[in-house]
Amino acid sequence: KEKRYRKGACKNCGAMTHKEKDCLERPRSTKKSAWKTGKTFARDEVKQQNFNLSYDASRDRWNGYDANQQLKKIELYNKAEEERRKKALRDREEKYRLKKLKKEEKRAAKKAEKKKAKEEATSEGKENGSDSESSFGDTDSESENENSDADLSGVKEGDDAKLAQKMFTIGTAVKATVRNLRIREDTAKYLRNLDPNSAYYDPKTRSMRANPTPHIPLEESTYAGDNFISNTGEAKELAKAQMFAWEAQAKSGEEVGATHLNANPTEMMLRQKEFKERKEKLKNMKKAEVFAKYGGEEHLKKPDPTILDTESNTYVEYSSDGRVLKGNDTKQRVLSKYEEDVFPGNHTSVWGSYYDVDTQQWGFACCWQTNKKGYCTGEAGKKAKIASMRMKLDANTSERDVNTTDETPGTSANEI
């Protein structure tokens, strides 16, 4: 940095690269300017070398940029990530060490309590075999808890394979590393609908949860989104079986891959079925014990639904044709606003089930009667209707023949 004013420099700041009229610093007073005081000189601006560039090249915003600066940033970022990973590993080791230490202290306290209780029972001359059985069950559950917690204290920083195996089962949390890949011959999800407002495609996870082609019926569509695939068929049961396999593996303390759903699905399904039956049996036994001790089983019976549906505090307002105007109607809705299956008088069919073409009137199909207030005559009414129609037909035919003979020249009615 300069310590005295140089001839030809800016009188305001003291830099040699520009004059006073081009200075971008705050204007100083004459007494405080650089050429007057000889102090607080500004640094000279860095000017690039003139390469006689073209019009576009001289206005390039990246002109003079050094790519090594980005390499330094990348190196610094990698170092920070490495330190962050080491810190996370140390924190995880400390967490599980404290957890293991706390469990050991709790186990030791339980053992001391049991030992003290046993000594007191022995001194009083009481023998209790159930204590030994309960202690045996407690030790089993404690051993299961020990196996379910993975200890990372023995994992070294460079041992990536062992670290990955340990991180795969930490308690009951399982990290699946299977990527959502596709066969190269299949159409990519983001190419099924090129509309920018269609279903969102996540490029990081390669997933499209919504249906990209909602305008196509499901029976004709070849792809309806990831959520449709995971929520149809036996996908839910398969997911539950997979979770059961992971939890069983974590609790039993077996190695990774020892019990696998895809490797031996029959065994895993049988295990899940036995587990459900045993769980349901224990639940029923506990329920029966509670009822036997406290009673109250009669309160769990469901009341008559006819009693529940008679009264309600829900306000619903209807229109004259049965539509809901206000409120929420939870009753079963009828398909029509008109009365259905109504048989007036002694009819066996509804009004409007028969149409008389001659009179162009509606009637009953049971007796062919067009009088709505009349009684049903059954098959006799049908026969009478047919007979009357025949009589009308014969009368019309004879009348037509008479009219034809009258119009024929040279003939008379007597000759006919």
Side-chain angles (χ1 to χ4, degrees):
K1 191 174 181 178
E2 298 297 333
K3 295 183 179 180
R4 61 184 184 84
Y5 180 77
R6 294 167 292 176
K7 187 177 180 181
C10 176
K11 293 185 177 181
N12 185 44
C13 64
M16 288 290 296
T17 53
H18 62 269
K19 298 297 181 180
E20 184 179 2
K21 64 178 182 178
D22 300 326
C23 186
L24 298 178
E25 285 202 7
R26 182 179 179 182
R28 307 176 188 178
S29 62
T30 308
K31 295 182 180 180
K32 296 182 179 180
S33 58
W35 73 276
K36 194 75 173 178
T37 59
K39 299 177 181 178
T40 61
F41 295 102
R43 295 182 180 273
D44 297 340
E45 291 92 346
V46 178
K47 286 190 175 182
Q48 296 186 15
Q49 186 178 355
N50 187 11
F51 294 102
N52 295 326
L53 302 175
S54 63
Y55 179 84
D56 293 333
S58 62
R59 286 159 179 78
D60 185 10
R61 61 184 300 181
W62 296 101
N63 187 15
Y65 174 75
D66 188 5
N68 293 327
Q69 297 177 2
Q70 183 65 18
L71 295 177
K72 291 181 180 179
K73 289 184 179 180
I74 295 173
E75 185 179 357
L76 183 63
Y77 177 79
N78 292 335
K79 287 182 180 179
E81 282 294 320
E82 183 69 19
E83 292 297 327
R84 193 180 295 111
R85 190 186 68 82
K86 291 180 181 179
K87 184 178 181 301
L89 187 62
R90 288 194 299 268
D91 294 343
R92 196 180 295 116
E93 290 178 355
E94 183 66 19
K95 177 182 176 181
Y96 281 95
R97 188 185 66 81
L98 294 175
K99 190 175 182 180
K100 187 176 180 181
L101 183 62
K102 193 178 292 184
K103 284 189 176 182
E104 290 178 355
E105 292 176 355
K106 192 175 181 180
R107 196 181 302 115
K110 280 187 178 180
K111 287 183 179 179
E113 290 178 1
K114 290 176 183 177
K115 187 175 181 181
K116 186 177 179 181
K118 193 173 182 180
E119 290 177 355
E120 291 177 356
T122 306
S123 62
E124 294 175 0
K126 295 180 181 180
E127 297 180 356
N128 189 0
S130 61
D131 293 338
S132 60
E133 293 177 0
S134 62
S135 63
F136 177 77
D138 292 337
T139 53
D140 290 343
S141 61
E142 290 165 5
S143 62
E144 289 180 0
N145 291 334
E146 288 179 7
N147 293 329
S148 63
D149 298 325
D151 186 11
L152 296 178
S153 58
V155 181
K156 297 180 181 179
E157 296 177 359
D159 197 356
D160 295 336
K162 193 174 181 181
L163 178 62
Q165 185 178 6
K166 289 284 185 179
M167 289 182 65
F168 188 79
T169 52
I170 300 176
T172 57
V174 180
K175 293 185 178 180
T177 57
V178 180
R179 294 176 180 267
N180 186 12
L181 301 178
R182 66 175 177 89
I183 304 175
R184 297 295 99 182
E185 290 81 3
D186 293 347
T187 306
K189 299 176 183 177
Y190 51 84
L191 295 178
R192 294 185 178 272
N193 192 349
L194 301 181
D195 185 5
N197 297 325
S198 64
Y200 173 72
Y201 175 75
D202 187 6
K204 186 175 182 181
T205 58
R206 297 178 183 176
S207 60
M208 182 179 285
R209 296 171 179 82
N211 186 4
T213 55
H215 56 280
I216 300 177
L218 292 177
E219 57 271 11
E220 300 178 5
S221 178
T222 58
Y223 178 77
D226 296 341
N227 288 345
F228 179 80
I229 298 172
S230 60
N231 294 329
T232 55
E234 298 181 355
K236 293 184 179 179
E237 297 297 329
L238 186 64
K240 291 179 181 178
Q242 184 66 70
M243 291 298 299
F244 174 78
W246 286 339
E247 291 175 359
Q249 174 187 320
K251 290 182 179 179
S252 60
E254 298 177 354
E255 295 182 358
V256 177
T259 56
H260 200 278
L261 177 64
N262 297 334
N264 197 348
T266 306
E267 179 186 0
M268 194 54 59
M269 290 296 180
L270 288 176
R271 283 191 184 184
Q272 188 181 16
K273 184 178 179 181
E274 293 175 359
F275 174 76
K276 288 182 179 178
E277 292 177 354
R278 190 164 59 250
K279 184 178 180 181
E280 190 67 23
K281 187 177 180 181
L282 291 174
K283 183 179 178 181
N284 294 334
M285 288 175 59
K286 190 174 181 179
K287 190 176 180 180
E289 291 177 359
V290 173
F291 284 146
K293 187 174 182 180
Y294 301 102
E297 188 175 1
E298 64 277 5
H299 300 294
L300 297 179
K301 296 180 180 179
K302 294 183 178 180
D304 189 2
T306 58
I307 301 175
L308 296 177
D309 296 338
T310 53
E311 295 181 1
S312 176
N313 294 329
T314 306
Y315 175 77
V316 183
E317 187 175 332
Y318 301 92
S319 63
S320 58
D321 57 353
R323 292 181 291 106
V324 178
L325 298 178
K326 189 183 295 183
N328 186 14
D329 187 8
T330 58
K331 295 181 181 179
Q332 186 177 3
R333 305 301 301 152
V334 295
L335 300 179
S336 174
K337 65 179 180 179
Y338 303 102
E339 295 182 347
E340 296 181 357
D341 299 334
V342 178
F343 306 102
N346 60 340
H347 292 281
T348 57
S349 61
V350 297
W351 170 260
S353 58
Y354 169 74
Y355 183 74
D356 192 349
V357 180
D358 295 335
T359 60
Q360 295 185 355
Q361 291 180 347
W362 293 99
F364 298 96
C366 56
C367 59
W368 294 356
Q369 189 174 175
T370 57
N371 186 8
K372 189 173 184 181
K373 296 183 179 180
Y375 285 92
C376 182
T377 56
E379 295 295 330
K382 290 183 179 180
K383 291 179 181 179
K385 185 82 172 177
I386 293 172
S388 65
M389 291 172 64
R390 286 178 178 174
M391 290 176 64
K392 287 182 181 180
L393 184 61
D394 294 340
N396 293 335
T397 305
S398 61
E399 185 179 354
R400 192 182 305 112
D401 293 340
V402 170
N403 295 334
T404 305
T405 56
D406 291 341
E407 294 175 359
T408 305
T411 60
S412 64
N414 295 330
E415 293 178 359
I416 295 172

